[in-house]
């Protein structure tokens, strides 16, 4: 249901007059197919021009429906000029509402009486063929009135389409029969219809993970989208026969302000959807990255060099989108609750239970006992959410009280923020724990949270235009809290058992919740968000009655919230010195516990594709080795030889009964440096050893592939060292469509190499099929066994999503003094075969690769390589500058399109 359903001549004439449309369709001397095609093209161009001129969206969608009405009527009259009885053409669904975007589905119903279909079959077939010839794609159903009733009774979507129907041409009495047969007293009583539409919305929300704040939302279907407005309209039409949304105000369901807000939101979403159809030339309701910049430009958001940061325009446009759907979600909540009261409960009195002098429970909802409460005591706008948390059986906030919150949240000012009662209510929510995320979401939806914490208000709806962050900043913060709360709940222990056990040991979980809530909140303030956020978090803690020690811990966590993930991803954490440096920065075991849990929650809330068994194993390994270093004392650091000896001993225990003699294992392992034992788990060592022992020289290269518990699928290569081995291996893996998560390169003194790669499928899923293991093994063996092969071409196309981002290559160097090697860090655009390309450069420059840390951050590759020259010395400064130049030239000119 739109703002106006009736496509009256005086309204439609503002865009197209029916007379002008008919004149075009009946043009003399023009073949009918050409005339109809030209009219549709003329109409589309006219609508596009009006859109560019800023015409209201409602006039555009109704005008599009109007021109299609005239085209269908004229096409019908061409084959059935005598207006026979017993057949009727009906618009249904969105078209029945009189709302059509340029490429929306055009759904029609051919309604007939028994026998009429056969009588007019030839004419109706010519009608359908003519629509096809003129390029008008319609979704057509053919039913009698009885069939309509039967199908409608079985399917909520059918009854929904039919109650939105509109007579186009034909037997009006037959259409009236259908309408009479579908009234609530005959099929789908109002209460049943309402429950079904409410359940349907809940299922739709679950499909989108109950959030409309993902970075590529569906304008129509995502929570807060146009479908939420449709749901309200459907229920209103079924309940009291409403023909327009204006009637919601006339019947007291909405105030004038709320009605205006609803119409403004609908108009905005219509314009966004219209723009998507216009720029894609097809039905497209998803605001994909491909389209966001173009749509933003159509709305007047354009980047100006030097005035804003890159992507400012699209981020501002998307923030407007997210804030719009937030408002519409709130109105949808309120209206469905009002409908529930009117339809389900009717005139029945609901039990009222006082909670305190300010609030009471009516039915299943909490409500203010005085409509002036929030004006008299603004701190109560915080208290209500604490009460919801403390009384989890309450279903939510009553619609009238939601209306009061929306009306009065602007009263939350500095005085309220300094009110000791408001502060007490808010910090108690974090101490309470249970229900925290759900009620902070409510606070955000009703506009209270951003008012109470202005720093949070700045990030409401704020997106980052990249493939790394999949949620808006405010939604990300709430997802981090959700993840932390799940660690605290026994029913979710199966998700992250180690985290759940560690969480139980926290002395004050509320400090972790506060840190998680604040860690990215300063992204809306400019500058270093970690530094600014630490200051903001410390001030919040002290103002809300936490001790200085607690405030210091929270501030430290916010300031260093990226430290653990960056260390695990970019540093060689098999190196005891790296672990020692990290341990010195952490300093205390309790800090380590809090930081580990926060890091896991943050990564899982940033991008689900980032979290996998490999990343979990990296973080867990860093946690365990750091905990051990702290237990030993920072003045008694771990030694490489001791750690290598422990790994060997554990591996031998695993090999008990395998037939591998200790002497034989020592003979083989004596050829390998300590780095090999530090970089591989005992399970991997025990896997490699028997295969290496049994491998004959002529059988090399030895290729092993298998999943390793907690690490993912590992590919192990043991062979005589040869030129460009890294580039060839990674090229083969890339050509197979695999993503490489980690590379560990080890070379023996007698000229053999032991290389391990952790891989997964290109879509981020684990490798599970045995035939896939065979394919990896055979493909690598074929290439590495052939000394004549020096290059592997990776012909995979760049994924479409990556093409819309520009990441210039950035190169930096540093020195690993202890290991006597150079550390090369590369940030560049991700693309298939990137590692093979880099390996080719290393080969041409006679550079040896010691190890690599592979990181893909959305559209960006952030890879770290530990390299030396042929003499296994660090690269000289002159060679480094030459290498920088070659890498930049190679990578920036080799991006496929």
């Amino acid at each position: 249901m739109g703002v106006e359903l009736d496509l009256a001549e005086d309204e439609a004439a503002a865009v197209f007059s029916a007379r002008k449309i008919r004149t075009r369709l009946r043009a003399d001397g023009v073949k009918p197919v050409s005339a109809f095609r030209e009219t549709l093209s003329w109409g589309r161009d006219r609508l596009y021009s009006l859109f560019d001129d800023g015409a209201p969206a409602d006039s555009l969608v109704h005008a599009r429906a109007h021109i299609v009405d005239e085209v269908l009527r004229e096409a019908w009259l061409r084959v059935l000029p005598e207006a026979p009885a017993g057949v009727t053409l009906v618009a249904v669904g969105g078209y029945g509402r009189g709302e059509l975007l340029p490429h929306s589905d055009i759904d029609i119903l051919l309604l007939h009486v028994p026998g009429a279909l056969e009588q007019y079959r030839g004419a109706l077939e010519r009608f359908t063929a003519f629509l096809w010839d003129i390029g008008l794609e319609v979704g057509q159903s053919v039913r009698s009135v009885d069939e309509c009733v039967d199908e409608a009774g079985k399917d909520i979507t059918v009854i929904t389409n039919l109650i939105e129907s509109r007579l186009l041409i034909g037997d009006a009495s037959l259409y009236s029969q259908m309408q009479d047969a579908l009234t609530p007293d005959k099929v789908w009583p109002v209460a049943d219809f309402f429950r079904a539409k409410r359940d349907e919305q809940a299922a739709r929300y679950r499909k989108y993970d109950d959030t409309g704040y993902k970075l590529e939302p569906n304008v129509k279907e995502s929570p807060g989208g146009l479908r939420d407005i449709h749901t309200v309209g459907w229920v209103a039409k079924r309940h009291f026969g409403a023909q327009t949304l204006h009637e919601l105000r006339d019947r007291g369901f909405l105030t004038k302000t709320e009605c205006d807000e609803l119409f403004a939101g609908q108009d905005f979403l219509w314009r966004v959807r219209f723009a998507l159809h216009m720029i894609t030339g097809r039905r497209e309701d998803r605001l994909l990255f491909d389209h966001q910049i173009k749509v933003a430009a159509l709305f007047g958001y354009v980047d100006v060099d030097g005035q804003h940061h890159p992507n400012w325009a699209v981020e501002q446009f998307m923030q407007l989108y997210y804030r719009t759907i937030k408002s519409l979600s709130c109105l949808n909540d309120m209206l469905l609750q009002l409908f529930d009261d009117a339809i389900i409960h009717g005139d029945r009195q609901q039990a009222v239970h006082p909670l305190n002098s300010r609030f009471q429970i009516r039915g299943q909802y909490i409500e203010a006992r005085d409509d002036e409460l929030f004006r008299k005591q603004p701190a109560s706008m915080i208290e209500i959410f604490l009460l919801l948390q403390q009384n989890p059986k309450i279903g939510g906030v009553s619609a009238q009280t939601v209306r009061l919150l929306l009306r009065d949240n602007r009263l939350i000012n500095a005085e309220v923020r300094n009110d000791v009662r408001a502060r007490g209510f808010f910090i108690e929510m974090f101490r309470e724990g249970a229900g925290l995320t759900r009620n902070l979401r409510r606070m955000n939806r009703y506009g209270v949270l951003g008012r109470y914490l202005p720093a949070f208000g700045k990030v409401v709806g704020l997106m980052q235009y990249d493939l790394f962050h999949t949620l808006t900043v405010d939604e990300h913060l709430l997802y981090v809290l959700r993840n932390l709360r799940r660690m605290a709940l026994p029913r979710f222990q199966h998700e992250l058992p180690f985290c759940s056990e560690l969480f139980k040991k926290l002395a004050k979980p509320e400090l972790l919740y506060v840190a998680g809530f604040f860690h990215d909140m300063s992204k809306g303030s400019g500058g270093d968000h970690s530094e600014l956020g630490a200051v903001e978090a410390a001030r919040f803690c002290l103002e809300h009655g936490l001790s200085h020690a607690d405030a210091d811990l929270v501030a430290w966590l916010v300031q260093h919230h990226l430290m653990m993930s960056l260390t695990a991803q970019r540093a060689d954490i098999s190196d005891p010195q790296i672990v020692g440096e990290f341990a010195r920065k952490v300093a205390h075991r309790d800090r380590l516990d809090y930081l580990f849990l926060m890091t896991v929650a943050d990564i899982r809330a940033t991008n689900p594709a980032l979290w996998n068994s490999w990343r979990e194993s990296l973080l867990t390994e860093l946690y365990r080795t750091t905990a051990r270093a702290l237990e030993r004392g920072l003045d008694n650091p771990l030694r490489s030889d001791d750690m290598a000896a422990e790994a060997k001993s554990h591996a031998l225990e695993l090999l008990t009964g395998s037939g591998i003699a200790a002497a034989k294992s020592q003979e083989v392992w004596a050829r390998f440096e300590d780095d090999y034992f530090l970089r591989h788990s005992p399970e991997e060592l025990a896997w490699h050893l028997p295969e290496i022992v049994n491998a004959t020289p002529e059988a090399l290269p030895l290729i092993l592939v298998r999943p390793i518990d907690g690490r993912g699928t590992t590919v192990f290569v043991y062979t005589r060292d040869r030129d460009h081995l890294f580039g060839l291996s990674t090229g083969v893996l890339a050509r197979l469509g695999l993503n490489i998560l980690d590379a560990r390169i080890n070379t023996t003194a007698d000229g053999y190499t032991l290389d391990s790669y952790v891989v997964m499928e290109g879509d981020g899923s684990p490798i599970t099929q045995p035939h896939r293991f065979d394919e990896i093994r055979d493909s690598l063996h074929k290439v590495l066994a052939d000394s004549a092969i020096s290059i592997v071409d990776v012909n995979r196309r760049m994924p479409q999503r990556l093409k819309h981002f520009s990441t210039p290559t950035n190169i930096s160097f540093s020195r690993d003094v202890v290991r006597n090697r150079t550390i090369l860090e590369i940030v560049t655009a991700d693309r298939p075969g990137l590692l093979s390309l880099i390996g080719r450069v290393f080969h041409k420059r006679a550079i040896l690769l010691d190890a690599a840390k592979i990181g893909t951050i959305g559209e960006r590759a952030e890879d770290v390589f530990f390299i030396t020259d042929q003499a296994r010395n660090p690269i000289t400064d002159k060679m480094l500058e030459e290498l920088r130049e070659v890498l930049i030239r190679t990578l920036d000119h080799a991006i496929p399109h």
Side-chain angles (χ1 to χ4, degrees):
M1 184 189 307
V3 177
E4 290 294 339
L5 180 64
D6 182 18
L7 298 179
E9 181 72 17
D10 56 348
E11 177 202 331
V15 181
F16 304 116
S17 74
R19 181 183 57 78
K20 183 177 289 188
I21 296 171
R22 292 166 191 158
T23 299
R24 284 179 168 274
L25 294 173
R26 301 169 183 173
D28 294 334
V30 181
K31 292 181 179 180
V33 169
S34 298
F36 276 67
R37 277 183 171 273
E38 188 279 331
T39 300
L40 287 169
S41 178
W42 163 78
R44 183 189 63 242
D45 293 344
R46 170 78 173 137
L47 290 174
Y48 287 173
S49 177
L50 288 169
F51 177 88
D52 290 336
D53 291 341
D58 63 333
S59 67
L60 299 178
V61 298
H62 294 145
R64 167 68 177 160
H66 177 60
I67 196 170
V68 171
D69 286 354
E70 293 301 328
V71 166
L72 289 172
R73 288 177 183 132
E74 286 295 312
W76 180 272
L77 290 172
R78 288 189 74 258
V79 298
L80 290 167
E82 302 302 324
V87 288
T88 302
L89 190 64
V90 180
V92 295
Y95 178 37
R97 287 195 304 272
E99 300 168 9
L100 281 184
L101 279 296
H103 297 280
S104 291
D105 292 338
I106 302 170
D107 293 325
I108 57 175
L109 166 66
L110 183 58
L111 191 63
H112 64 88
V113 298
L117 199 60
E118 190 60 37
Q119 181 180 355
Y120 300 110
R121 180 176 297 279
L124 295 174
E125 287 177 348
R126 291 195 301 276
F127 172 73
T128 302
F130 184 74
L131 296 184
W132 180 265
D133 291 341
I134 65 176
L136 191 67
E137 296 183 21
V138 299
Q140 181 174 295
S141 55
V142 182
R143 295 188 184 115
S144 66
V145 171
D146 287 344
E147 289 170 336
C148 286
V149 173
D150 184 52
E151 292 298 318
K154 294 185 293 187
D155 191 337
I156 186 65
T157 59
V158 174
I159 184 63
T160 303
N161 274 341
L162 293 178
I163 66 173
E164 294 194 299
S165 64
R166 192 162 47 86
L167 175 65
L168 290 173
I169 193 169
D171 188 339
S173 63
L174 181 59
Y175 176 66
S176 296
Q177 289 177 38
M178 184 192 76
Q179 287 185 303
D180 291 342
L182 294 174
T183 54
D185 59 317
K186 299 183 180 74
V187 62
W188 282 104
V190 174
D192 293 345
F193 182 83
F194 170 69
R195 291 189 186 98
K197 298 314 289 186
R198 188 175 55 190
D199 292 345
E200 184 182 69
Q201 176 170 296
R204 174 168 55 85
Y205 276 26
R206 287 193 295 272
K207 180 181 176 182
Y208 292 94
D209 298 325
D210 289 305
T211 178
Y213 304 99
K214 292 192 173 182
L215 299 192
E216 292 185 306
N218 187 304
V219 178
K220 183 178 178 183
E221 300 288 347
S222 290
L226 284 165
R227 190 60 87 202
D228 281 12
I229 300 176
H230 298 159
T231 298
V232 167
W234 293 329
V235 175
K237 188 175 183 69
R238 197 66 175 162
H239 178 39
F240 52 79
Q243 296 301 307
T244 75
L245 290 176
H246 280 297
E247 293 183 48
L248 292 170
R249 184 185 67 190
D250 298 339
R251 292 176 178 269
F253 284 94
L254 290 177
T255 65
K256 179 182 183 305
T257 300
E258 291 161 350
C259 211
D260 290 345
E261 190 176 344
L262 181 65
F263 294 154
Q266 178 177 246
D267 187 83
F268 174 78
L269 294 182
W270 266 343
R271 287 187 65 79
V272 172
R273 198 171 167 218
F274 193 104
L276 284 169
H277 285 215
M278 189 167 73
I279 65 176
T280 61
R282 64 178 186 276
R283 178 189 169 183
E284 178 57 89
D285 299 328
R286 298 166 300 166
L287 254 176
L288 302 177
F289 283 116
D290 308 25
H291 314 316
Q292 288 176 7
I293 292 177
K294 295 175 184 176
V295 175
L298 289 173
F299 278 73
Y301 292 90
V302 180
D303 286 318
V304 179
D305 290 343
Q307 291 190 16
H308 304 287
H309 68 268
N311 301 321
W312 173 87
V314 68
E315 290 176 4
Q316 291 296 302
F317 164 72
M318 291 302 295
Q319 187 167 33
L320 174 61
Y321 170 84
Y322 293 121
R323 291 186 172 187
T324 299
I325 65 166
K326 175 172 169 283
S327 171
L328 291 174
S329 291
C330 194
L331 290 172
N332 174 270
D333 278 356
M334 191 169 66
L335 283 165
L336 290 187
Q337 189 188 134
L338 290 169
F339 287 150
D340 183 83
D341 289 342
I343 295 169
I344 304 301
H345 300 290
D347 297 328
R348 286 181 299 168
Q349 288 291 325
Q350 297 188 64
V352 176
H353 303 285
L355 271 176
N356 58 28
S357 61
R358 295 169 295 282
F359 296 101
Q360 61 191 19
I361 302 172
R362 182 182 300 275
Q364 58 178 328
Y365 297 103
I366 189 172
E367 66 179 14
R369 301 179 72 171
D370 177 0
D371 282 358
E372 297 302 307
L373 170 66
F374 299 142
R375 290 176 172 173
K376 297 173 183 175
Q377 300 180 51
S380 297
M381 284 186 273
I382 312 298
E383 180 188 15
I384 188 173
F385 298 101
L386 174 60
L387 290 172
L388 279 164
Q389 210 173 329
Q390 294 172 334
N391 297 272
K393 291 184 178 180
I394 299 175
V397 183
S398 75
Q400 175 59 21
T401 302
V402 169
R403 178 170 283 140
L404 300 178
L405 287 167
L406 295 173
R407 182 194 71 185
D408 295 335
N409 64 48
R410 59 186 174 80
L411 300 176
I412 301 176
N413 53 21
E415 183 180 349
V416 178
R417 295 181 201 111
N418 292 328
D419 186 323
V420 66
R421 293 177 68 249
R423 289 177 172 180
F425 294 142
F426 193 65
I427 197 62
E428 188 60 30
M429 292 179 69
F430 289 84
R431 293 194 178 103
E432 190 75 23
L436 174 62
T437 309
R438 180 166 57 254
N439 286 293
L440 287 179
R441 286 190 192 280
R442 284 174 172 146
M443 288 184 77
N444 187 28
R445 178 173 292 191
Y446 303 148
V448 174
L449 191 53
R451 293 283 187 177
Y452 184 70
L453 293 175
F456 185 89
K458 291 180 182 179
V459 299
V460 171
L462 180 64
M463 72 168 287
Q464 292 164 268
Y465 186 72
D466 57 41
L467 294 177
F468 179 53
H469 303 88
T470 60
L471 295 168
T472 58
V473 177
D474 58 324
E475 190 73 358
H476 168 69
L477 295 176
L478 295 172
Y479 257 78
V480 170
L481 281 179
R482 165 192 173 271
N483 290 341
L484 292 173
R485 284 294 306 143
R486 287 167 85 97
M487 294 175 190
L489 299 173
R491 69 178 182 273
F492 294 113
Q493 186 164 357
H494 64 281
E495 292 183 347
L496 298 165
F498 181 69
C499 290
S500 294
E501 286 302 314
L502 189 60
F503 194 95
K504 296 175 184 177
K505 301 176 184 179
L506 298 184
K508 296 183 178 180
E510 67 270 20
L511 302 184
L512 184 57
Y513 300 148
V514 173
F517 185 51
F518 271 86
H519 79 281
D520 274 353
M521 199 180 293
S522 290
K523 282 189 171 180
S525 303
D528 184 330
H529 76 280
S530 298
E531 296 285 345
L532 295 173
V535 174
E536 186 83 25
R539 181 168 58 246
F540 169 88
C541 291
L542 295 175
E543 288 176 348
H544 286 74
L546 273 64
S547 69
H548 282 275
D550 289 347
D552 288 345
L553 174 58
V554 170
W556 185 89
L557 288 168
V558 172
Q559 183 175 356
H560 298 285
H561 71 270
L562 295 173
M563 182 172 69
M564 192 167 197
S565 61
L566 290 176
T567 301
Q569 184 61 49
R570 307 183 71 175
D572 185 356
I573 60 173
S574 66
D575 183 347
Q577 183 182 5
I578 295 294
V579 174
E581 291 174 358
F582 180 74
R584 276 188 286 275
K585 292 176 182 176
V586 174
H588 305 292
R589 176 63 182 267
D590 59 341
R591 278 186 178 180
L592 178 64
D593 293 348
Y594 282 100
L595 181 61
F596 174 76
L597 295 173
M598 183 163 153
T599 301
V600 172
D602 188 17
I603 293 173
R604 297 182 77 219
T606 299
N607 188 329
L610 288 177
W611 187 253
N612 49 47
S613 59
W614 166 244
R615 197 173 296 271
E616 182 177 7
S617 72
L618 279 181
L619 289 170
T620 304
E621 180 183 347
L622 179 57
Y623 173 85
R624 293 187 190 280
T625 53
T626 305
R628 184 178 175 188
L630 291 171
E631 288 167 6
R632 288 171 61 100
L634 297 176
D635 56 349
N636 182 26
L638 298 164
R639 290 167 49 90
S640 298
D641 53 353
D642 292 339
M643 293 178 68
E646 286 181 15
K648 293 177 189 177
S649 176
H650 190 182
L652 288 175
E653 290 177 12
L654 295 173
L655 285 168
T656 300
S658 67
I660 302 293
K664 186 61 177 177
S665 66
Q666 295 303 333
E667 177 187 337
V668 173
W669 282 345
R671 299 164 46 218
F672 306 161
E673 297 181 357
D674 283 350
D675 280 353
Y676 168 72
F677 303 100
L678 296 175
R679 293 174 181 168
H680 294 83
S681 67
E683 291 77 12
E684 288 174 300
L685 299 179
W687 172 40
H688 297 168
L689 183 60
E691 300 287 350
I692 294 173
V693 167
N694 295 322
T696 60
E698 55 273 11
L700 299 182
L702 170 67
I703 312 292
L704 306 177
V705 184
R706 78 176 234 192
I708 300 292
D709 289 344
R711 283 186 174 268
T713 300
T714 299
V715 179
F716 177 68
V717 178
Y718 173 70
T719 188
R720 283 196 173 277
D721 201 8
R722 58 168 289 187
D723 289 343
H724 196 32
L725 185 61
F726 174 75
L728 292 173
S729 300
T730 55
V732 171
L733 296 173
R735 197 161 62 182
L736 291 171
L738 300 172
N739 284 341
I740 300 172
L741 303 179
D742 185 62
R744 290 164 285 171
I745 313 298
N746 293 95
T747 306
T748 68
D750 57 350
Y752 284 80
T753 186
L754 307 104
D755 299 347
S756 292
Y757 302 93
V758 178
V759 297
M760 63 182 179
E761 297 289 6
D763 62 1
S765 63
I767 303 168
T768 56
Q769 299 300 320
H771 74 83
R772 189 65 160 148
F773 296 148
D774 293 340
E775 183 181 24
I776 295 169
R777 187 183 304 109
D778 295 344
S779 299
L780 278 169
H781 193 280
K782 180 179 179 180
V783 170
L784 301 185
D786 189 344
S787 59
I789 298 177
S790 60
I791 291 178
V792 173
D793 289 322
V794 180
N795 297 318
R796 286 169 55 205
R797 297 185 62 181
M798 176 179 280
Q800 183 68 25
R801 298 178 82 198
L802 295 180
K803 294 180 179 180
H804 302 279
F805 299 90
S806 175
T807 306
T809 299
N810 183 272
I811 307 290
S812 61
F813 299 103
S814 57
R815 178 73 64 88
D816 182 346
V817 178
V818 174
R819 296 287 187 101
N820 199 36
R821 58 189 180 177
T822 297
I823 302 173
L824 161 64
E825 298 185 48
I826 299 179
V827 177
T828 190
D830 189 30
R831 84 287 307 257
L834 174 63
L835 293 178
S836 182
L837 197 61
I838 294 170
R840 201 175 300 175
V841 172
F842 290 166
H843 170 55
K844 290 180 179 179
R845 293 276 151 178
I847 290 172
L848 299 182
L849 177 62
D850 186 49
K853 302 286 288 186
I854 312 304
T856 301
I857 312 298
E859 73 282 0
R860 291 154 48 99
E862 297 187 1
D863 300 337
V864 182
F865 302 92
F866 302 87
I867 56 177
T868 67
D869 62 17
Q870 290 287 326
R872 299 203 171 276
N873 292 317
I875 312 297
T876 63
D877 290 345
K878 180 181 179 182
M879 284 184 64
L880 290 180
E881 289 311 308
E882 292 175 357
L883 178 59
R884 184 198 309 274
E885 181 182 332
V886 171
L887 282 169
I888 291 175
R889 184 171 65 246
T890 300
L891 299 180
D892 282 349
H893 288 81
I895 299 178
H897 296 286

